[in-house]
Amino acid sequence: MAQHPDVAIVGGGVIGLTAAYELAKAGFTVEVLDRGPLGAEASWAGAGIIPPGNFERAATPIDRLRALGSVGMPLLASELRDRTGLDTGYRRCGGIESLHPHDRDVLELWEAEGFPFDQLTGDTLTQLEPAAAGFTGEPYLLPTCAQVRNPWHVRALIAACEQLGVRLRPDTPVEGWHSVGRRVTGVRLSSGATVAAGTCVLAAGAWSETLLKPLGQQPGVHPVRGQIVLFHRPAPRLQRVLMAGKRYFVPRDDGRVLVGSTEEPEAGFEKCPTAAGVNELLRFTTTLIPGWAGAEVEKTWAGLRPGSADGLPYIGSVPGWDGVLVATGHFRAGVQLSVGTARILTELLTGRPPAVPVEAFRLDRPPGCATQQAFRS
């Protein structure tokens, strides 16, 4: 490691770690600083759904960003396993999503993008997933839907970053910026020390807003609590991810099933699960899968997603400043958008044209100008 890194990344979640990994591969010296343990916030808590995508035909910038993850995540999983011997839990398990008449725009986006999907009848749904017979709406099979196990994925990213010489600094809160004129030249730690860097990247998730304010930006990044219930091998078993609006079932290979998730912006930075949130998820579960009424709940937890004003991330430069980039506000889609976000950051720092137009994700975009992504997992 040089006396100071080429890039200092504030935030050691899946966005920051994936960016660190890709930047280190590109030849940059990188330092990652996190206020707590690496990857222990929203990145650990999520369900790890990787929806399908077709980069060449994706209709909007956010769908192109998602499609980079759909294509790139299996490659990253293989690469991480080769480097570290660690399994990320990636598998293409397929998914079933229930649509309703008001979701026709989603169906049109799928058709335009051109990835495979098929409408299921009640009989074919029951044959494929007997547990899903209670699904309402129109079920669609998404054979290329996939998943990762978030804690495993984060663990492999940490190991791979260490192998590449990335300096990882958990439990190192960043308090502010060091700047000369309108150029950020490093970060100030709560200990009073300064870490100088050629470029700083803010990827602090739900905690990003307090570090954007000194740069004259208040886009409204805020914590949105999401709770999850983990069932211990309920029967009948599920083989595929099931999605119904903003709720989902994610079956793991060991028979456990994650059911999520609530969406609670009013919770602030309180991330403990609540009886009300857990009961809400249990009601959702037994409404769709009555046979799981007596299933064993193994564990519950909550995470704080970084919400934004329009549900889309902020990626790219900070207006009026040099030497600093931002990658935050990924809301419910941090894992699925991490590959594309890391690619954009690497392209920006190497001077290559970004694969996805970053104007759509700029910090100072007008309210309501962005288009919601087709997948709501």
Side-chain angles (χ1 to χ4, degrees):
M1 176 69 68
Q3 186 174 4
H4 61 78
D6 298 323
V7 184
I9 299 176
V10 182
V14 70
I15 300 295
L17 289 170
T18 308
Y21 175 69
E22 294 297 338
L23 288 167
K25 286 200 304 176
F28 291 88
T29 55
V30 185
E31 187 165 329
V32 177
L33 306 104
D34 196 278
R35 56 186 293 277
L38 298 171
E41 295 293 348
S43 302
W44 180 92
I49 300 172
I50 311 297
N54 181 347
F55 180 77
E56 300 301 326
R57 292 176 55 179
T60 67
I62 190 63
D63 288 317
R64 295 186 74 187
L65 190 66
R66 168 185 47 77
L68 287 175
S70 178
V71 174
M73 189 61 77
L75 302 176
L76 177 59
S78 177
E79 195 173 302
L80 293 175
R81 185 173 56 249
D82 290 344
R83 282 185 179 273
T84 69
L86 297 174
D87 181 15
T88 68
Y90 177 87
R91 66 183 180 96
R92 185 171 284 184
C93 56
I96 295 172
E97 178 150 9
S98 177
L99 298 183
H100 294 271
H102 61 271
D103 295 320
R104 286 297 166 187
D105 58 334
V106 174
L107 192 58
E108 290 171 3
L109 285 169
W110 293 359
E111 290 172 342
E113 198 161 333
F115 53 74
F117 67 91
D118 293 294
Q119 186 173 3
L120 301 175
T121 66
D123 289 341
T124 53
L125 173 63
T126 303
Q127 290 170 7
L128 287 173
E129 292 289 354
F135 251 40
T136 58
E138 299 176 352
Y140 286 83
L141 175 66
L142 302 165
T144 57
C145 186
Q147 62 168 285
V148 297
R149 295 185 75 151
N150 290 31
W152 295 10
H153 184 65
V154 168
R155 178 185 61 184
L157 280 170
I158 291 170
C161 284
E162 289 175 335
Q163 285 191 10
L164 289 172
V166 175
R167 187 182 184 191
L168 301 176
R169 299 183 66 181
D171 304 310
T172 308
V174 172
E175 187 175 79
W177 308 100
H178 187 273
S179 60
V180 176
R182 301 296 292 179
R183 181 175 186 85
V184 170
T185 58
V187 298
R188 289 187 294 104
L189 307 183
S190 59
S191 65
T194 298
V195 176
T199 301
C200 297
V201 176
L202 176 59
W207 289 265
S208 297
E209 188 81 359
T210 56
L211 288 170
L212 284 168
K213 188 175 180 180
L215 301 175
Q217 299 294 319
Q218 293 181 267
V221 178
H222 59 281
V224 181
R225 184 169 65 193
Q227 301 187 47
I228 285 182
V229 170
L230 177 67
F231 284 96
H232 184 78
R233 298 173 181 163
R237 287 191 62 171
L238 288 177
Q239 301 298 321
R240 298 165 184 83
V241 171
L242 303 183
M243 294 169 281
K246 296 180 179 180
R247 300 284 168 81
Y248 50 75
F249 298 79
V250 181
R252 302 305 197 198
D253 281 342
D254 57 13
R256 293 175 170 85
V257 180
L258 280 70
V259 178
S261 101
T262 62
E263 200 168 288
E264 305 166 75
E266 72 283 356
F269 285 95
E270 176 54 64
K271 69 173 184 178
C272 292
T274 66
V278 170
N279 287 333
E280 184 180 332
L281 293 174
L282 293 177
R283 284 193 298 270
F284 163 73
T285 299
T286 54
T287 297
L288 270 63
I289 309 180
W292 287 11
E296 177 187 350
V297 174
E298 181 173 327
K299 190 176 181 181
T300 64
W301 64 82
L304 302 178
R305 309 182 189 97
S308 67
D310 54 16
L312 301 184
Y314 299 104
I315 307 171
S317 62
V318 177
W321 293 89
D322 295 322
V324 59
L325 299 173
V326 63
T328 190
H330 291 75
F331 193 32
R332 299 175 66 103
V335 172
Q336 63 185 254
L337 300 181
S338 60
V339 171
T341 299
R343 176 170 170 176
I344 289 175
L345 292 172
T346 304
E347 288 165 341
L348 290 172
L349 286 170
T350 55
R352 292 177 288 159
V356 177
V358 293
E359 291 79 9
F361 310 121
R362 69 184 193 271
L363 272 169
D364 59 349
R365 62 180 180 255
C369 75
T371 302
Q372 287 286 353
Q373 68 188 104
F375 284 87
R376 297 148 296 173
S377 56

